[in-house]
Amino acid sequence: MPATIDLKNTQTRDALAIRAKAANPQHSDLKPTLIGMDREELGDALKAVGIAERQIRMRTQQLWHWLYVRGVSNFDEMLNVSKDLRALLSQHYTIARPEIVDEQISSDGTRKWLLRFPPRGAGNPVEIETVYIPEDGRGTLCISSQVGCTLTCTFCHTGTQKLVRNLTSEEIISQLLLARERLGDFPEKDTPQGAIVPSEGRKITNIVMMGMGEPLYNFENVKKALLIASDNEGLSLSKRRITLSTSGVVPEIYRTGEEIGVMLAISLHAVRDELRDELVPINRKYPIAQLLQACRDYPGLSNARRITFEYVMLKGVNDSLEDARDLVRLLKGIPAKINLIPFNPWPGSRYECSDWEHIKTFADFVNHAGYASPIRTPRGSDILAACGQLKSESERLRKTERLALEAMMIAGHGET
């Protein structure tokens, strides 16, 4: 039974409720969520509803276990928590998942979820996309950090959607919780209380911050979510299996290494500033030399902890052997892997994908220079789930645009 609620705890609880209502004035009945809170914040939330100080640590650990080991989305499923406490928590908080607006499954097994989150501030509900890519021996979840994007990279479909807002830590980590739930990747509810997350056989083994948005323009929320994802008493993903992809926000690259410690991927896409200024406009603020210096300085950089450089193959734009030579020269001394990405078509783009033989020639040159250069097999192209194709359904494609996409695919751009 929870302790009697005193005045101080009532004020704390009311402050949480006021904060939730202030963020959602049109939906004042929305409860604060416990998902996305760190342990200290969970403790404060428990104090706010009158849990005795001597119980806070134990109750916090119980909540953490149920949220991030068992993956429950309803307080009634917390079997070792008293009925009265479950009712109290349910009265004041929520742990519900986002709404699934749509779920699409590609012919290659890739899944894309369109998720809707409640409004914040005076805005409307927002929608984002999350993608799961199954492969032999691994499964990767591509997580979004923003609704829309500010970077306007000219080859990227997401960049054509204006930024609406940053996602909160709860909205970021909820994508992982929902995906694990949908894929049956949490322990069964009737397994023993001490059930440990298995080290093998998981459907989601890796996550990448490579969905909608630039994660380093939402640093604090991304940091908080990734530290929860990598906590070894919860979701327990190794930091070596978490990759943060950035277009090159140089100051935050340093912070990422120092404060988060996950693997780093750089959306490079060009070897000359004048071209990268066009393809990735943030280059005008942080040019290639500054970006690569931040990579050389990344904490823990080694052959075992290489930086991944993403390089989209654009026909006649950045795919010459001269580009390949300059790429090798630029990356000299950086433990690196180079992912070559066949351009994924989307309606309205002015680019074409490099020919397959041309991509293989480029890859062979880079490989012979000593860098692993896998060619990323396009996944989920038929459901617009491939790299650079994400765009929330609030920016829904018209039928004519979908037909145009299908025509492009038939013409050969999706044959790789």
Side-chain angles (χ1 to χ4, degrees):
M1 288 286 292
T4 303
I5 299 177
D6 62 24
L7 179 60
K8 181 179 178 181
N9 285 334
T10 302
Q11 289 172 338
T12 306
R13 183 197 67 210
D14 290 346
L16 285 169
I18 289 169
R19 185 169 63 187
K21 291 178 181 180
N24 301 280
Q26 297 173 343
H27 296 258
S28 59
D29 58 330
L30 289 178
K31 303 171 188 175
T33 181
L34 298 183
I35 295 170
M37 291 185 178
D38 58 28
R39 286 182 176 82
E40 182 178 355
E41 291 168 329
L42 278 176
D44 289 341
L46 288 167
K47 290 177 188 176
V49 294
I51 305 304
E53 183 69 38
R54 66 182 181 277
Q55 296 185 29
I56 294 299
R57 183 176 178 181
M58 176 191 69
R59 297 300 187 191
T60 296
Q61 284 301 103
Q62 284 180 322
L63 287 178
W64 195 270
H65 176 88
W66 285 110
L67 292 176
Y68 300 124
V69 175
R70 301 304 188 108
V72 304
S73 56
N74 188 312
F75 289 111
D76 288 339
E77 297 178 87
M78 297 182 175
L79 302 180
N80 65 340
V81 177
S82 72
K83 185 176 180 180
D84 287 343
L85 180 52
R86 296 200 305 260
L88 184 65
L89 291 171
S90 182
Q91 179 183 350
H92 295 288
Y93 302 114
T94 181
I95 55 172
R97 301 283 188 259
E99 176 189 355
I100 300 176
V101 179
D102 191 26
E103 180 178 38
Q104 294 176 274
I105 303 177
S106 169
S107 58
D108 61 26
T110 298
R111 292 176 182 243
K112 182 173 74 170
W113 293 283
L114 175 64
L115 306 180
R116 179 177 294 145
F117 293 104
R120 297 181 62 80
N124 296 314
V126 296
E127 296 174 355
I128 57 95
E129 291 182 332
T130 305
V131 173
Y132 170 67
I133 304 171
E135 300 174 272
D136 288 339
R138 62 185 280 163
T140 301
L141 189 70
C142 186
I143 294 176
S144 294
S145 58
Q146 296 180 311
V147 186
C149 189
T150 61
L151 294 182
T152 63
C153 298
T154 53
F155 58 87
C156 180
H157 196 213
T158 311
T160 65
Q161 180 182 344
K162 293 181 180 179
L163 179 69
V164 177
R165 67 169 173 85
N166 286 334
L167 294 179
T168 65
S169 60
E170 173 257 327
E171 291 165 335
I172 295 169
I173 203 69
S174 284
Q175 296 173 64
L176 175 55
L177 297 180
L178 180 139
R180 277 199 165 165
E181 182 176 77
R182 295 290 293 179
L183 296 168
D185 209 22
F186 280 117
E188 294 295 332
K189 302 298 188 295
D190 59 354
T191 51
Q193 161 58 21
I196 298 173
V197 176
S199 59
E200 297 181 357
R202 302 308 298 268
K203 292 184 175 66
I204 298 175
T205 61
N206 297 64
I207 61 174
V208 291
M209 297 302 306
M210 204 179 289
M212 296 170 60
E214 165 54 64
L216 294 189
Y217 276 158
N218 187 16
F219 184 86
E220 293 299 336
N221 285 314
V222 167
K223 171 186 171 180
K224 192 173 179 182
L226 293 185
L227 291 180
I228 291 173
S230 59
D231 189 286
N232 61 11
E233 295 182 0
L235 291 164
S236 198
L237 278 162
S238 165
K239 289 184 178 181
R240 292 186 64 175
R241 291 184 174 272
I242 300 174
T243 299
L244 185 148
S245 176
T246 176
S247 292
V249 187
V250 168
E252 308 304 333
I253 289 175
Y254 289 97
R255 291 188 66 195
T256 299
E258 293 164 0
E259 300 177 31
I260 309 177
V262 296
M263 305 297 281
L264 184 67
I266 302 293
S267 294
L268 188 61
H269 307 308
V271 294
R272 298 180 301 280
D273 279 324
E274 57 270 24
L275 177 58
R276 195 166 190 267
D277 286 349
E278 176 187 344
L279 298 178
V280 189
I282 195 177
N283 193 72
R284 297 167 191 161
K285 187 173 184 179
Y286 304 113
I288 291 173
Q290 288 185 33
L291 174 59
L292 294 185
Q293 188 58 53
C295 292
R296 289 187 171 90
D297 295 339
Y298 197 71
L301 185 62
S302 67
N303 285 329
R305 293 178 60 86
R306 295 175 296 175
I307 291 176
T308 298
F309 289 89
E310 310 283 353
Y311 197 93
V312 65
M313 300 298 292
L314 303 172
K315 186 174 184 177
V317 176
N318 64 352
D319 62 350
S320 69
L321 277 180
E322 181 184 0
D323 289 313
R325 283 191 289 268
D326 287 344
L327 180 60
V328 169
R329 177 182 56 79
L330 278 175
L331 300 186
K332 186 177 181 180
I334 302 177
K337 177 177 76 171
I338 302 163
N339 268 352
L340 300 179
I341 307 170
F343 173 66
N344 295 302
W346 47 271
S349 171
R350 66 178 184 264
Y351 298 110
E352 296 182 42
C353 181
S354 304
D355 296 332
W356 184 243
E357 288 301 321
H358 207 88
I359 296 174
K360 288 200 293 185
T361 300
F362 193 105
D364 288 343
F365 183 93
V366 176
N367 255 314
H368 291 154
Y371 289 96
S373 55
I375 301 171
R376 184 185 294 174
T377 303
R379 301 292 300 272
S381 300
D382 55 326
I383 58 171
L384 282 181
C387 182
Q389 289 185 320
L390 299 189
K391 188 173 183 181
S392 71
E393 208 69 2
S394 56
E395 299 276 318
R396 199 177 302 263
L397 287 178
R398 296 190 301 271
K399 182 178 179 181
T400 53
E401 292 177 316
R402 290 197 179 278
L403 291 174
L405 174 64
E406 291 172 5
M408 284 189 279
M409 299 297 289
I410 292 170
H413 296 291
E415 64 190 8
T416 58

